[in-house]
Amino acid sequence: MTTDRKKILSGMRPTGRLHLGNYVGALKTWVDLQDRYDCFFMVADWHAMTSEYADPSLLPGNMRDMLLDWFAAGIDPMRSVVFIQSLVKEHAELSLLLGMFTPVSWLERCPTYKDQIVQLANKEIETHGFLGYPVLQAADILIYKADIVPVGEDQLAHLEITREIARRVNFLHGGPIEQVTNRPLNPIFPEPEPWLSSTPKLFGFDGRKMSKSYNNAIYLTDSPDEVTRKTKQMITDPARVRRTDPGDPSKCNVFDYHQLFTHDKAEEMGVQCRKAGIGCIDCKKTLANSINNLFDPMRERRASLADKPGALEEIAEDGCARARAAAQNTMRILRGRLSMPEGVSFLGKPS
Ligand code: SF4
């Protein structure tokens, strides 16, 4: 991938089938970003290992399901580099080298570290790998010289560590320091900028946080009937008891969905709700149609991939090869700057 466009790196842990919350929270943004940037999208299986190392048996199936959802949703492997982190081993090499530059105190002060230790108390994650997770993340980003990283507010601290690591490597190995700017003249890595997206939060159809463990999500793989069944179960304005009662859409989960998926008709749904011009049953039917309209092209793309045995593997293999070529190029430059041998020929040089 050699264009003048800025580069973006983003990834997801392979958690399996994606739901509507994952779609509006990240995947839809990725699909849109492809038009403006050179995108690298990573299946972050090594990241998953930081917490799933005791039983990683579900990871292969989860990776497959997630990749299918990405392509079904419109991630285009011709335009974007889609790859599996652990199949581009240069990430591990760079992570190891960046670890040499990273003071432990930077990792220990990372606000998400202590937070995750508490949240994942049922897993033993006080490990070297978990503490060093931001270093691996820095390697993921810097190995492609990404200019921009889409992040949520909670990920800003991690990205700041990436920027600090890049700065430190550049300062030590980025050539002479320019006097006016006090920056190295020949930096190895760009300092990636955050791209903060305002992602709307979707609740599950039971009104709680959307989560696999609550079994309250609408999945991108759900059939039209499943979508209809789940929308029927959605919690509405609790004060609207009878069909003739006016409703308050701002207190209704269904209306939150309408605003995201029913587009230009959403406002009218709200107006009709307020004057009891529409009943909740019909309102939910409209929502089910809106979601199914969104899913129909995804269903077609998924079916066409499923019809071609080996197609998914072929696409993933091609993406890994393209990622590997870019990663190897960065490592060749870095190893040169760090006086590390590319082969045994250096042994022949007189000292
Ligand atoms: S009419 Fe629609 S928006 Fe209004 S309360 Fe019923 S489901 Fe919610």
Side-chain angles (χ1 to χ4, degrees), residues 51-62:
S51 56
E52 305 307 313
Y53 63 89
D55 180 12
S57 58
L58 295 178
L59 287 183
N62 285 349

Side-chain angles (χ1 to χ4, degrees), residues 2-49:
T2 49
T3 70
D4 294 331
R5 300 197 303 182
K6 291 199 167 182
K7 291 196 207 87
I8 281 196
L9 179 285
S10 198
M12 283 187 207
R13 288 180 181 222
T15 51
R17 292 191 304 151
L18 300 181
H19 53 56
L20 269 178
N22 304 128
Y23 177 73
V24 295
L27 195 49
K28 184 179 181 313
T29 307
W30 286 12
V31 172
D32 296 341
L33 287 172
Q34 297 180 113
D35 294 332
R36 286 176 286 144
Y37 300 99
D38 286 346
C39 296
F40 291 79
F41 296 129
M42 173 180 80
V43 178
D45 57 338
W46 272 337
H47 289 206
M49 287 295 280

